[in-house]
Structure formats: C-alpha cells, structure tokens
Amino acid sequence: MYNPPAPERGFIRLGTIPEAEPKSRAKPVRMPLCGSYSSSSSPLWPRTGGSPKARPSRRGGAKAWRYSLSPRGEEARALWEALSLQYRNLLKAGYRVDLGGWRLYFLGGKLRLERHCQAVNPACFTFGALPVDKARQDRFLMELSHLLEEALARAKGTGGSVSLSRLFRSEVRRGQAPPYAASPLDWKP
C-alpha cells in the first residue's frame, strides 16, 4: 500500500525530455527532495500507467535533454514560491544567490551560474527570511542543491537545458565547463 511522505517533506520533480528520442526514453525521472534516486517504480511514486504530459523542445533538431526542477506538494510549493521571490529581489538588487554547490548572479547585465561550494552544507545557501523552521529550510535547500547538481551533471554529459522553476534556465552544451550562461525564468530583471 502506498504511504504518502510526511507533510514537512517537499518534493522536486526532475523531468528529462529528450528531443527526437524514442517515446520510451521520454519518461521523467522523479526524485524526492532528500536527493536519493527514485523512478516511477519507486514506492514514493506509484505507477500511473501512462506517459507524462510533456513536449520536447525542437531547437534546431538537436538531440538534447531538458531538465526541469520544480517543487512537489503544497508545502514545498509555498516554501519555494516565497524563497524564489526573495531570490529574485536579491538578484535584481545586484546580490548573488547561493544554491549550495552553485551560485547565481548578474555580471555585465547577464545572469551566470557558477560553482560555489565543493562540500555542500547549510552555510552554502542564501537563506530566506521566512517564518519557517531553519532545519526544514536547510533540508529543503540541501535536497534542491543535490538535484540541481545532478541535473547540471547530466546536462553537461548530454547537452541540454536546466530549469529551476521561478528562477532561471541555463543552456548547457555537451562537455561545457562552468560557468554557464543563464536567463531569468518567469521574471524580468
């Protein structure tokens, strides 16, 4: 029997959508925020018996992947909405946003994503001033960092784009080394 996760845990979906690939490879990879790998056969994600609603990007006919990270669950969405709003405001004001192993900032009017902490820990994040328990926010950001790291590593290996909902999208060429150019997603600087 399926037991839903505890309400304080948020989830992020890492969807992989190939361009011009067979339909069998177009299934998304779903990962809980705790960072451990899980697929559609995981007890956390019961099988639904169908393919997800997703459209591959057709940019130049290239075979690239799209990785989209977004919160799962009402509590995780509310936390990410508040954090991403504060992160946007910091970026607009000219400050950097630390996302664990990665740092996001504007340089010369362009958004950049570069390496930050090698050994990710709670001190590697830009924390939001939210009425949320610090331990919960730490756990949420650590899980987000792990998934962002995995998505960028996969994109580097295959080429493609990585999107973090409400914050940024970055196009990564196969084998490209950081820093990566990024663009704001769902907001204007």
Side-chain angles (χ1 to χ4, degrees):
M1 181 172 191
Y2 173 67
N3 292 323
E8 70 271 1
R9 300 281 310 262
F11 286 83
I12 286 189
R13 177 179 169 200
L14 172 62
T16 57
I17 305 166
E19 295 179 4
E21 289 288 330
K23 200 173 199 179
S24 64
R25 293 196 57 202
K27 293 181 181 176
V29 176
R30 295 179 179 171
M31 299 178 172
L33 269 176
C34 64
S36 63
Y37 181 83
S38 93
S39 67
S40 59
S41 62
S42 164
L44 293 174
W45 300 96
R47 292 184 181 204
T48 57
S51 62
K53 294 180 182 177
R55 291 177 297 205
S57 165
R58 300 281 183 207
R59 294 186 182 172
K63 290 184 179 180
W65 293 83
R66 183 183 324 154
Y67 301 92
S68 300
L69 287 91
S70 60
R72 301 287 292 179
E74 186 177 324
E75 185 178 1
R77 279 193 296 273
L79 177 58
W80 181 241
E81 186 174 327
L83 275 172
S84 63
L85 181 61
Q86 289 184 17
Y87 288 168
R88 290 176 186 184
N89 290 336
L90 287 170
L91 289 168
K92 287 177 185 178
Y95 296 101
R96 65 179 187 251
V97 171
D98 296 335
L99 300 168
W102 296 91
R103 174 175 283 163
L104 190 63
Y105 62 96
F106 278 102
L107 180 66
K110 296 185 180 191
L111 198 58
R112 292 175 51 112
L113 184 66
E114 71 177 20
R115 294 297 289 156
H116 176 47
C117 281
Q118 293 301 318
V120 178
N121 62 64
C124 297
F125 296 96
T126 301
F127 288 97
L130 301 173
V132 176
D133 181 45
K134 184 179 181 323
R136 184 175 293 168
Q137 194 175 148
D138 286 349
R139 188 171 50 249
F140 181 86
L141 290 172
M142 290 290 287
E143 293 165 2
L144 170 66
S145 174
H146 174 78
L147 293 173
L148 182 59
E149 183 71 38
E150 184 172 338
L152 287 166
R154 286 185 182 185
K156 182 179 179 181
T158 62
S161 70
V162 175
S163 300
L164 180 55
S165 70
R166 302 179 50 85
L167 199 56
F168 74 89
R169 171 174 285 138
S170 182
E171 297 289 331
V172 179
R173 292 186 311 274
R174 184 178 186 152
Q176 179 183 358
Y180 303 122
S183 59
L185 185 62
D186 300 333
W187 62 284
K188 293 183 181 180

